[in-house]
Amino acid sequence: MKRTALLAAAAALGALPLPAMAAAPQAVEAQQQFPPLFAAEIERAKEFVDGMIAEGVVVPVPKDPGGGYTHEQHKRNYRAIQLGGQLFRVTGEQRYADYVGQMLLEYAALYPTLGDHPARANQNVGRLFWQVLNDAMWLVHAVQGYADIRDTLSVEDRQRIDDDVFRRAADFLSVDSQRTFDRIHNHATWATAGVGMTGYLLGDQDMVDRALLGSDKSGETGFLRQTELLFSPDGYYTEGPYYQRFALLPFMVFADAIERNDPGRKIFEHRGGILLKALRTTVQLSYRGYFFPFNDAIRDKSLKTAELYEGIAIAYGQTRDPTLLSIAEYQDRTVLGANGLQVASDLAAGKAEPFPFRSLLLSDGPDGKQGAVAILRRGEGPNHTALVAKNSSQGMGHGHFDKLAWQLYDNGNEIVRDYGAARFLNIEAKEGGRYLPENTTWAKASVAHNTLVVDQRSHFDGDVDVASETWPEQLYFSDAEGLQVSSARIDSAYPGVVIRRTLIMPDVPGLEAPLVIDLVRADSADPHLYDLPLHYSGHIMEFDFAPQSHVANRPVLGEANGYQHIWVDAEASLDDGRGALTWILDGRFYTYRFDSNGPLTAILGESGANDPDFNLRREPLILLRAKRGNGAARFASLLEAHGSYDGAAEQTVASRSRVENLEHDVIDGSDIVRLTLKTGQRFAIAVSHDPDPARAHSVSLGGDRIAWTGFAAVVALAGGEKRK
């Protein structure tokens, strides 16, 4: 594309809140020369908006909940308003401006007649939609399209739309819905963004100030305060990756508007550049493009989502970071604005560089002292290994009761799973698309996660207010090559019980990667029943214990706290506390080998019991149950990937574990996990739990002298000569 044409097009695409203008004369000519990604975006928008124009303007009286006709029509309308305005700016075709204007005049006739939405439920009620959040989303999108066509309207039509649509919508969000507006929560982020952008467009400084500083303009609430309290110093959003993605759009588009209207505020430098940091952190919280689905999360959400198309484009416009271009390349999408045009142009020019996915520790809480999320990565490319240790705070109402839980990804798949949310978003047949009852009874319950459960009760007894007052302590983190570690503890999930979990990704000669050592210790002065579930993906191949299978009658594991949703398929009593289970997923085998400090019951089960409406997915799990009269429990396990299976070639390689034995001992506070390989080699993973990297440690155990320095090490043991 010629530089002069590009500059003319970029000027014509100036986004909110530049003074609205008709498309530049060069826009129609320039669009013939747009880079491929941007040209494809124009065609995609045209297909949608032209289809809407062909249907005629349809602005129904609100009636339905999420997923219903009126709900979905108003969503389509705000998308058409935004894209129609952008297409007018890009193409100069008056028909797009006329369509947007006609639709907004219909809203001007409807909006003054609206009261509370008739499908209100347990959320703060909206006008156009069943909850106020969706009204805020409507405003954020619609005000951008209106900005692009506003100066094409007659004075009378402009005044009517200003007053009867946008001022009314902004007043509803910031005055009538003040309780939501002044929250520190993603709903308030959308509301403040919509009100603030409306204020900029209408030249209403009072409206802008309310959005930035809260309804009383004290600064204790409002958009700026949200940037300070909802993100940690590392850019982690307290509700988790799914809602970080969701909240990112209003944060970024309003910040872009602030930057254009009030550049002296330097919003993208606020709090150390927290919004740009949050954008990069959002990308880091993904595997193969899909977000880690902990807390309330819809598992289908990925980087290919509208919030990230906007976020990547705005961040690139601010930074020109070439690694963001590789994300846009993966998305194969951008936005119809100056930032999107810049992304497309620089992608076409070959400026993209790989995004640096890496191991990192993301602190939680506004001060970074409310726990953390640890991400350990090994390898390169889309099939690399990633371990996620969730040692974070509760995450407000969308948080789950899963302290010290973990997930594992390998070979492009989720191996150790998190259920995410029990919700079919916007499917009317499933509770109107809202969160299902099973989101509380199963998805949030501790036993639905890979975490330690005491006495068959969820952490904090499932009380979100109690859970929000405390969080784990991240004790240690290392991303050292060949020995990555995350260790954390919590003493408040259960009264009188201290739980510590250490997850290690070591390289052990003779074993394939990935390997995960999982050490769980619970200490209490009182006797307890400890359950350690592992929710995995795959089909069982074999196990080394003799279970009793329930083939005629399938019992349920319990009556409450999530246990009522677990079918028991088989169970085995393991007097020595040891066992192993192997499954296959996508042509790779995984063996889970475990040891404990006393007898165990191994329970093989599946989710989906007591689910008459079929709201739950059926997913397998193994649960290790330990009754400890002295109150102390120790679990050590190894998750080992090995071999391959090619059904088409009828070829199987190394389908059985390469480990012959695992032994776990605790000596002077150090955890020692000894592995004997089938080759005869022997190794110890020694963990002192001492963060001093220079301090030396040594123990004697069954004739083995084990010496190491620092927190942990892999030590070769004598007598472990390799057998042929």
Side-chain angles (χ1 to χ4, degrees):
M1 186 176 185
K2 295 179 181 179
R3 180 171 176 80
T4 54
L6 175 62
L7 291 174
L13 290 169
L16 181 77
L18 294 180
M21 62 187 80
Q26 300 96 326
V28 177
E29 176 185 353
Q31 71 171 303
Q32 306 301 321
Q33 306 172 55
F34 281 136
L37 185 64
F38 198 82
E41 206 62 51
I42 293 172
E43 292 307 310
R44 185 178 289 108
K46 279 186 172 182
E47 181 179 4
F48 173 72
V49 178
D50 288 352
M52 292 287 286
I53 292 174
E55 293 176 9
V57 173
V58 180
V59 179
V61 175
K63 181 184 69 173
D64 301 315
Y69 166 70
T70 64
H71 180 96
E72 293 302 315
Q73 183 63 36
H74 287 297
K75 284 175 59 180
R76 295 174 75 227
N77 285 353
Y78 73 59
R79 185 177 171 215
I81 292 168
Q82 181 181 17
L83 291 177
Q86 291 172 339
L87 283 172
F88 168 67
R89 187 69 66 90
V90 171
T91 67
E93 293 184 44
Q94 185 62 37
R95 66 191 184 98
Y96 291 120
D98 292 344
Y99 172 71
V100 172
Q102 290 164 12
M103 182 178 290
L104 288 173
L105 285 171
E106 289 297 316
Y107 274 103
L110 173 68
Y111 206 96
T113 70
L114 298 179
D116 288 351
H117 194 282
R120 67 176 300 168
N122 60 343
Q123 302 286 342
N124 294 314
V125 65
R127 291 284 188 266
L128 294 169
F129 300 90
W130 67 279
Q131 61 170 341
V132 69
L133 167 64
N134 296 96
D135 281 68
M137 294 172 68
W138 188 95
L139 183 58
V140 167
H141 290 85
V143 73
Q144 296 179 70
Y146 183 43
D148 286 326
I149 66 96
R150 184 169 178 264
D151 279 3
T152 70
L153 299 170
S154 68
V155 173
E156 294 79 8
D157 286 347
R158 187 187 315 147
Q159 192 67 49
R160 187 179 178 200
I161 294 170
D162 284 358
D163 293 344
D164 286 345
V165 179
F166 289 97
R167 287 192 185 279
R168 284 181 180 270
D171 283 348
F172 168 65
L173 292 175
S174 60
V175 179
D176 298 342
S177 305
Q178 181 183 337
R179 178 176 173 274
T180 296
F181 190 77
D182 284 340
R183 294 179 69 188
I184 303 299
H185 190 273
N186 75 76
H187 290 200
T189 307
W190 282 94
T192 55
V195 171
M197 290 193 292
T198 300
Y200 280 134
L201 179 63
L202 302 185
D204 189 327
Q205 188 61 43
D206 177 71
M207 201 179 288
V208 172
D209 290 343
R210 270 184 279 151
L212 291 175
L213 303 172
S215 61
D216 65 359
K217 304 180 187 178
S218 68
E220 292 300 310
T221 62
F223 182 81
L224 295 177
R225 192 60 172 156
Q226 290 170 34
T227 68
E228 295 161 357
L229 295 181
L230 287 175
F231 295 106
S232 78
D234 295 318
Y236 174 73
Y237 183 76
T238 189
E239 292 183 288
Y242 177 82
Y243 278 97
Q244 177 148 344
R245 174 269 328 162
F246 179 63
L248 198 65
L249 188 148
F251 273 118
M252 295 299 285
V253 297
F254 188 26
D256 194 42
I258 295 168
E259 182 73 10
R260 293 172 183 274
N261 275 277
D262 187 6
R265 190 178 286 278
K266 298 184 178 180
I267 188 63
F268 286 107
E269 297 176 27
H270 180 64
R271 202 186 163 206
I274 192 64
L275 292 179
L276 296 173
K277 192 179 293 184
L279 181 282
R280 293 185 175 94
T281 294
T282 305
V283 177
Q284 290 284 0
L285 288 163
S286 67
Y287 179 84
R288 293 200 76 177
Y290 286 85
F291 295 111
F292 301 138
F294 58 79
N295 287 345
D296 281 345
I298 306 301
R299 299 174 58 86
D300 300 327
K301 286 294 185 180
S302 73
L303 299 175
K304 295 183 178 182
T305 186
E307 296 89 352
L308 268 296
Y309 304 150
E310 289 278 5
I312 291 295
I314 291 169
Y316 186 73
Q318 290 294 317
T319 66
R320 297 298 193 270
D321 176 358
T323 69
L324 296 178
L325 293 177
S326 67
I327 303 302
E329 187 173 34
Y330 163 79
Q331 294 171 324
D332 197 29
R333 294 289 302 274
T334 190
V335 295
L336 293 181
N339 291 320
L341 179 57
Q342 190 68 57
V343 165
S345 299
D346 288 356
L347 259 181
K351 295 182 180 181
E353 296 179 9
F355 187 85
F357 289 101
R358 59 188 177 89
S359 297
L360 75 166
L361 183 69
L362 298 171
S363 63
D364 192 7
D367 58 359
K369 297 179 180 179
Q370 296 182 11
V373 173
I375 304 173
L376 308 180
R377 297 188 190 265
R378 187 187 190 281
E380 303 289 339
N383 290 348
H384 73 279
T385 299
L387 183 154
V388 183
K390 183 175 181 280
N391 307 323
S392 55
S393 66
Q394 181 63 20
M396 300 190 289
H398 287 300
H400 289 192
F401 301 99
D402 59 344
K403 296 296 174 267
L404 311 190
W406 70 295
Q407 299 166 248
L408 182 71
Y409 296 80
D410 178 56
N411 195 35
N413 300 298
E414 187 180 13
I415 309 304
V416 177
R417 299 177 61 88
D418 189 293
Y419 191 87
R423 184 184 190 185
F424 293 85
L425 183 62
N426 284 341
I427 297 180
E428 190 174 9
K430 291 294 189 180
E431 299 279 337
R434 306 181 185 102
Y435 285 102
L436 297 164
E438 289 80 7
N439 198 58
T440 298
T441 61
W442 170 250
K444 289 189 175 187
S446 296
V447 75
H449 301 83
N450 306 298
T451 188
L452 187 67
V453 187
V454 180
D455 298 330
Q456 299 185 75
R457 304 186 70 86
S458 285
H459 299 171
F460 310 103
D461 267 332
D463 188 323
V464 66
D465 293 329
V466 175
S468 298
E469 295 299 318
T470 187
W471 40 81
E473 177 187 4
Q474 182 76 33
L475 299 170
Y476 184 78
F477 174 83
S478 173
D479 60 356
E481 185 175 355
L483 192 70
Q484 300 190 67
V485 182
S486 171
S487 185
R489 72 185 290 274
I490 188 165
D491 61 7
S492 54
Y494 299 100
V497 181
V498 179
I499 305 171
R500 177 167 182 164
R501 187 170 219 159
T502 300
L503 291 154
I504 305 171
M505 282 179 55
D507 287 352
V508 176
L511 295 180
E512 297 180 47
L515 300 172
V516 177
I517 295 288
D518 179 21
L519 301 172
V520 179
R521 54 195 294 181
D523 293 293
S524 175
D526 301 310
H528 290 289
L529 179 70
Y530 296 99
D531 288 338
L532 185 64
L534 185 85
H535 300 263
Y536 61 91
S537 302
H539 190 92
I540 292 176
M541 294 289 100
E542 61 179 350
F543 30 77
D544 69 354
F545 44 84
Q548 176 188 357
S549 295
H550 302 293
V551 294
N553 295 300
R554 201 181 192 194
V556 176
L557 188 55
E559 298 179 353
N561 303 316
Y563 285 80
Q564 75 274 26
H565 292 301
I566 298 175
W567 292 114
V568 178
D569 292 316
E571 48 194 323
S573 296
L574 308 175
D575 292 339
D576 61 359
R578 297 180 182 177
L581 171 73
T582 298
W583 67 84
I584 188 173
L585 180 67
D586 195 18
R588 195 164 198 186
F589 298 93
Y590 298 88
T591 294
Y592 178 59
R593 188 177 300 276
F594 49 86
D595 187 13
S596 186
N597 65 333
L600 288 178
T601 299
I603 299 170
L604 301 178
E606 186 180 58
S607 60
N610 286 303
D611 181 25
D613 295 323
F614 297 93
N615 286 335
L616 294 177
R617 299 188 302 272
R618 275 52 176 162
E619 296 177 350
L621 69 142
I622 178 172
L623 183 145
L624 306 181
R625 170 164 287 178
K627 294 180 180 180
R628 296 293 181 259
N630 62 1
R634 303 286 185 269
F635 300 88
S637 63
L638 168 69
L639 185 59
E640 170 200 3
H642 54 92
S644 63
Y645 173 71
D646 186 334
E650 301 181 6
Q651 185 177 52
T652 304
V653 177
S655 64
R656 288 190 160 138
S657 169
R658 299 175 189 269
V659 176
E660 187 172 286
N661 191 39
L662 178 152
E663 300 173 274
H664 174 235
D665 295 276
V666 179
I667 301 177
D668 297 330
S670 293
D671 282 277
I672 309 297
V673 178
R674 290 180 294 173
L675 303 178
T676 301
L677 277 56
K678 291 179 178 177
T679 60
Q681 296 167 284
R682 296 175 63 242
F683 297 92
I685 292 85
V687 185
S688 68
H689 303 285
D690 182 353
D692 186 343
R695 186 168 295 149
H697 306 274
S698 65
V699 299
S700 294
L701 181 63
D704 292 318
R705 183 69 176 173
I706 304 169
W708 74 102
T709 58
F711 190 93
V714 177
V715 181
L717 299 179
E721 293 78 13
K722 185 175 180 180
R723 294 197 297 258
K724 294 184 179 179

